[in-house]
Amino acid sequence: MKLSQLFLLSSILVSVPCVAHAEEAIWKDTSLSPEARAKALVKAMTQDEKLQLVVSHYAIDNGPKHLPVPKGALGSAAYVPGIDRLGIPAQQITDAGLGVTNPNNIRPGDGATSLPSGQVIAGTFDPKLAYEAGKMTGAEAFHRGFNVLLGGGVVLVRDPRNGRNFEYLGEDPILAGNVAAQEVKGVQSQHVISTVKHYAFNNIETNRLKVDMKVNEKDGRESDLLAFEIAMKKGDPGSVMCGYNKVNGDYTCENSYLLQLPKKEWGYKGYFMTDWGGGHSTVKAANAGLDQESAAEEFDKEVYFGKALKKAIAKGEVPESRLNDMAYRIVYSLIKVGAYDHPAAKSDQPEDVAAHEAISQKVAENGIVLLQNKQNILPLAATVKNIAIIGGHANEGVLSGGGSSQVTARGGNIKLKTGLQKWPGPESYFPSSPMKAIEALAPEAKVQFAAGDNIQQAVDLAKNADVVIVFATKWSAEAFDNADLNLPGNQDQLIEAVAKAGKPVVVVLETGNPVNMPWLNNVDAVVAAWFPGTSGGPAIANILFGKVNPSGRLTTTWPKSLSQLPYPVIKGAGKIANGDPNDATKEDDSIISSLNLDVDKANVGYRWFEDKKLTPLYPFGYGLSYTTFKYTKIALHSNLAAKIPTITAEVTVENTGKKDGADAVQVYGTMPDGSPSRLVGFDKVELKAGESKTVSIPLALQGIANYEPKAHHWELPAGSYTIAVKPDALANEVVKTTIHLNQLTLTD
Ligand code: BGC
């Protein structure tokens, strides 16, 4: 054999495995971009493998059809089998934004850490803490073997009755979007995909499976879609869940405007999944841009993305390229967050429960809001002798929100035997007792409890106390809105009666939303603890006793009454959306079928109040401290000629009181036309007593821009802009400056 022949033979011999290796190396090669790896993976997949990725399977045994939990599933909201030959891990998909859930105790005894509700997370005004919160939840998901988390929620709070507001981050798009972005990043730092939801305008739960939200493009882009835009551009979540509702006549999961906007304009590379039961079609949804049908067999009328999709592709109704794109987006996200290279597997190592609970507690301590503190009754002295604790199951735990995001605490939840027993109930308390935490901080005190159901007994206890702490609760949950803002049961009468006992009264609210407080003038202090999470007990006690100086701020404007709201009547509010078919889904006048967002438009929350010159009970951004702050200076630095123009505010803030504390510095911008101001920047600043700091706050220019639908861009019209620091959204400007701009266009 000639040398050349020998060479040829040897190269043929080695080239076969080499080619295979080279191909494989493309998607396994971590030095390549996730895009290149995902592209190579999709190229190597068969059509059936791609189809396998685009439908998930319910993995709890309590669905309407009672399908068995699929083999290989850990037991959770959904499961997609992996593709072993390509190293694609199974998608183990779990709820939710506040912590890893364990519905139906499907994983026996598996408790987890729950963060406080979204109002508290966003109420910290601290994106760094939001990142820590997301990282903790992501770590708990990964530890249990999950690689997709169905959180976080970033629907704008347009109405304080929405049953899911506790899963969301308030009414302001700049605050909500930025906090969500950091939560997403935190989750994804743990190789777990984070799912931003419920895209979009899922602002009410009443008739949520059908309600049609009507909104024009400009208002939509400047409100709810702005929150999603920020969360998606800055956080880059692997997936987004579209909502149950319709928007402008089309279900969100087959609404091409909604699905194409992020993909085409925001550069979004991840995938859209349906909400559970939110799939309605094959061709329309696939062509609109939906990428994955969730728990299809269990909840949708039929499986739209299974055989039906295969058929539609064969008939040319859905291009094959669309299926490739769906599969690409899913594997891209798995690779990008590291779920491909670090496959999640249930760990038998212990997790750092103390560290995780400490994060939840820190969020609570930084986000709980002190609403009223007459004569500085708070903080309580550790030497107080006689404390009466009344109501709210405070001897046992703290309230949590219901539905798919309901976390089970370690050791189990305390479930009420009264009220709604079927899903999204029952009303459940985390076993973190505020009373026990109070006892620990006031060891000399006699601490007594009255449940509050017997008002006379509570009054008798109050009469003999030095201070009375009433815990008032209002549960809320997915699938229904609160019918009104009243505290349920006898709680208003209880507080009124106890207030007459003549002793100092502190009310701690554990609610999913603002509530009416007819007794407000008759009590001394009010603390809004929302749903304070699995370490809520000690967090509340630390605030009451001043171990922690409260620094949380309201993320939702607290109306005086429903009549102040843009939509005072929501027909059917209080009815459960996916319950009895004769109830919420009946097509008659008793239930809302569409909501035209043309009333508040982009003036969600505080901007509505400013626009209509209404004075709410408490505005967005409001919250007291045990110290006082003063803003002394604001200066702007801008670089408007840059490709991405920037304006930064330098704000000097001083702690003028006697206690160390933290302030949420809020910068608001007003456009030349004088339209209601909007939060354009914020930061949380820790200050020792007497200390002063200057903070640099980059301004979100979209907050002072108009979205121009025809031009498809954001524009800051020429003129003078006022940039001011205020202690809350509707307060007077404390320090302000103006900046004159020539017309400025924002491009991506
Ligand atoms: C909720 C989603 C949730 C899903 C899976 C639905 O009821 O709307 O937020 O992720 O269930 O549990």
Side-chain angles (χ1 to χ4, degrees), residues 234-547:
K234 288 195 175 175
D236 200 9
S239 58
V240 176
M241 185 189 295
C242 34
Y244 283 126
N245 52 299
K246 293 177 190 164
V247 172
N248 296 332
D250 285 328
Y251 284 110
T252 61
C253 294
E254 51 185 40
N255 186 312
S256 60
Y257 174 80
L258 285 180
L259 301 180
Q260 290 307 313
L261 171 69
K263 290 182 175 182
K264 293 246 169 79
E265 287 194 30
W266 302 345
Y268 181 59
K269 293 184 189 154
Y271 62 100
F272 282 95
M273 64 169 78
T274 62
D275 200 341
W276 277 228
H280 295 279
S281 64
T282 301
V283 176
K284 185 173 178 185
N287 289 340
L290 179 70
D291 302 300
Q292 191 178 62
E293 190 189 1
S294 306
E297 207 181 347
E298 187 81 55
F299 290 104
D300 287 344
K301 259 201 197 124
E302 56 182 272
V303 180
Y304 297 106
F305 273 21
K307 285 188 197 123
L309 181 58
K310 191 173 175 143
K311 236 196 229 161
I313 293 170
K315 281 167 63 189
E317 293 168 338
V318 173
E320 181 91 42
S321 58
R322 192 62 267 282
L323 177 64
N324 292 339
D325 180 49
M326 295 173 190
Y328 169 84
R329 286 171 176 277
I330 294 165
V331 292
Y332 163 79
S333 290
L334 288 167
I335 294 171
K336 196 199 62 178
V337 304
Y340 183 91
D341 299 316
H342 308 271
K346 190 172 174 290
S347 164
D348 37 22
Q349 296 302 305
E351 57 187 346
D352 195 346
V353 175
H356 293 180
E357 294 289 355
I359 289 170
S360 175
Q361 185 170 332
K362 192 169 173 199
V363 174
E365 289 172 347
N366 282 274
I368 287 176
V369 185
L370 177 61
L371 293 174
Q372 173 166 290
N373 193 17
K374 286 188 198 158
Q375 271 92 45
N376 292 333
I377 177 99
L378 293 179
L380 301 174
T383 49
V384 59
K385 288 281 170 299
N386 213 320
I387 305 175
I389 297 187
I390 294 168
H393 306 274
N395 57 333
E396 292 185 291
V398 287
L399 185 55
S400 57
S404 61
S405 69
Q406 171 78 63
V407 173
T408 304
R410 294 179 181 87
N413 294 345
I414 301 143
K415 298 179 185 170
L416 292 198
K417 301 218 163 53
T418 51
L420 186 71
Q421 291 302 299
K422 63 178 185 185
W423 190 91
E427 180 171 334
S428 299
Y429 288 71
F430 294 140
S432 175
S433 156
M435 178 164 167
K436 285 196 188 117
I438 287 168
E439 282 170 332
L441 293 185
E444 311 287 299
K446 185 170 170 200
V447 183
Q448 285 175 289
F449 180 73
D453 42 356
N454 180 332
I455 294 184
Q456 192 50 50
Q457 196 184 46
V459 171
D460 291 343
L461 196 68
K463 278 186 183 150
N464 294 318
D466 302 324
V467 62
V468 185
I469 310 174
V470 185
F471 286 81
T473 56
K474 183 169 187 176
W475 184 64
S476 68
E478 175 178 344
F480 71 96
D481 296 322
N482 295 139
D484 54 42
L485 299 180
N486 297 335
L487 281 172
N490 70 353
Q491 296 184 96
D492 284 334
Q493 294 95 298
L494 172 71
I495 297 171
E496 290 287 10
V498 164
K500 286 201 184 112
K503 297 299 167 73
V505 176
V506 177
V507 176
V508 178
L509 297 170
E510 292 171 19
T511 66
N513 273 313
V515 287
N516 290 332
M517 297 185 281
W519 34 261
L520 186 61
N521 290 333
N522 303 331
V523 303
D524 297 278
V526 181
V527 173
W530 306 103
F531 298 146
T534 37
S535 299
I540 291 171
N542 281 348
I543 284 176
L544 294 178
F545 283 85
K547 287 248 169 206

